[in-house]
Amino acid sequence: MTFTEPVSTPLALLLLGRGTDPDSERGVDCPGELPPSSDPDLVARAEAARAALGDRAFVLGHHYQRDEVIRFADVTGDSFTLARDAAARPDAEYIVFCGVHFMAESADILTGPEQQVILPDLAAGCSMADMAAYQQVVEAWDVLADAGVADVTVPVTYMNSSAAIKAFTGEHGGTVCTSSNAERALRWAFDPVARGGAGGEKVLFMPDQHLGRNTAVRQLGLRLEDCVVFDPHKRNGGLTVEQLRDAKMILWRGHCSVHGRFTADNVAEVRRRIPDVNVLVHPECRHDVVLAADHVGSTEHIIKTLDAAEAGTSWAVGTELNLVRRLADRHPDKNVVFLEKTVCYCSTMNRIDLPHLVHSLESLVRGEVVNRITVEARMAANARLALDRMLALP
Ligand code: 13P
Ligand code: SF4
């Protein structure tokens, strides 16, 4: 089966210039008037709309969201816990997803057909997810087939990918993973008994090369030489047949534009500046950064590590700035600093602000659903196979 390539995220919509409201600087396809950000009544309006909706709405907030949005979230979490939380609320008519596009798509796939998923700003995409397009993945799989290795390869896609790529993964016997379960997902992929299927000599890991490499080398004990990078912009991914045959991990050439900016020099610099500092980074950081750090883990792991840390200890954290700032506020007894001064917020996560949230909630109160995210039924069914495999990982 093949899917026609949907525009993977609203970032692509912006680039294509489709659906752009010329009167609004803020985004695409956002019908109606957005309240101005200077409106002093925004908090009261959000509170009133939230109260009017009651249990009909369930508001999820990813840890990288702004404080002004997080305060209205019924639950906060990383991409894995939010996917699980969305699936666990079949009674909610509206799932208001304060996160990015691929997360809202996953929520739509995991919730019932009568439930409606809303992304308050449709321009909240993910540049990493945009680095793997469905057609490129189909072509990459053909390259693997020509090299005679497709049959022994299991696709594993990071949650940060379009629904079409999750569907491809589901259809080809693979799983989704997040940064909190990537090790378990890879162990499952390499274990034919656990999967109840053949193959599993290789993994095609999409789209974050860093998470794939860091997990394979740090947690599975593979060698760097076992990993090759498949560049979708080069003929045959820029790889020879021999390289494809020898590799265990075929890493898609994608990265996070936020975490990819931390460097090993940042780690060295913070160690000079703060004696006894503990360096804690997300596995989307580059391999040399992860090697230089003291602790590596998903967003949820970073939060738990700081919660458990002793008073008086110092921490330099390499992840999204909204979260690091919140953690610093939450732990005044610890010295929590951002790993690098010039790395900025995730610009797409930050697109969800209070005016967009108020606009979405007030529209729902009026019975008008704006910025709904839907995944076409056949694609959703195949993507669900991959998501369910993730949710069932041992
Ligand atoms: P988590 O899986 O840790 O929530 O990360 C999602 C993400 O977008 C990280 O950049
Ligand atoms: Fe995507 Fe990186 Fe932003 Fe996460 S932090 S949503 S991976 S661009």
Side-chain angles (χ1 to χ4, degrees), residues 62 64 77-80 100 102-103 126 158 160 178-180 256 259 282 284 298-300 349:
H62 188 271
Y64 297 172
D78 65 1
S79 56
F80 177 72
V100 289
F102 68 80
M103 297 178 184
C126 166
Y158 193 21
N160 302 29
T178 69
S179 55
S180 56
C256 166
H259 293 92
H282 194 281
E284 284 176 15
S298 66
T299 308
E300 207 68 40
M349 280 278 182

Side-chain angles (χ1 to χ4, degrees), residues 365-384:
V365 173
R366 288 195 304 274
E368 199 188 323
V369 177
V370 291
N371 299 348
R372 184 174 175 194
I373 300 295
T374 51
V375 178
E376 180 270 317
R378 219 152 61 124
M379 188 188 295
N382 281 318
R384 183 150 192 158

Side-chain angles (χ1 to χ4, degrees), residues 6-62:
V7 174
S8 62
T9 79
L11 287 183
L13 273 174
L14 276 174
L15 291 172
L16 292 170
R18 271 192 236 154
T20 306
D21 170 2
D23 297 329
S24 165
E25 290 178 357
R26 289 185 166 279
V28 290
D29 276 354
C30 195
E33 286 294 306
L34 277 184
S37 49
S38 56
D39 183 342
D41 298 330
L42 275 179
V43 170
R45 286 172 65 175
E47 280 168 353
R50 186 68 202 85
L53 288 164
D55 289 343
R56 293 171 63 209
F58 185 48
V59 183
L60 299 109
H62 188 271

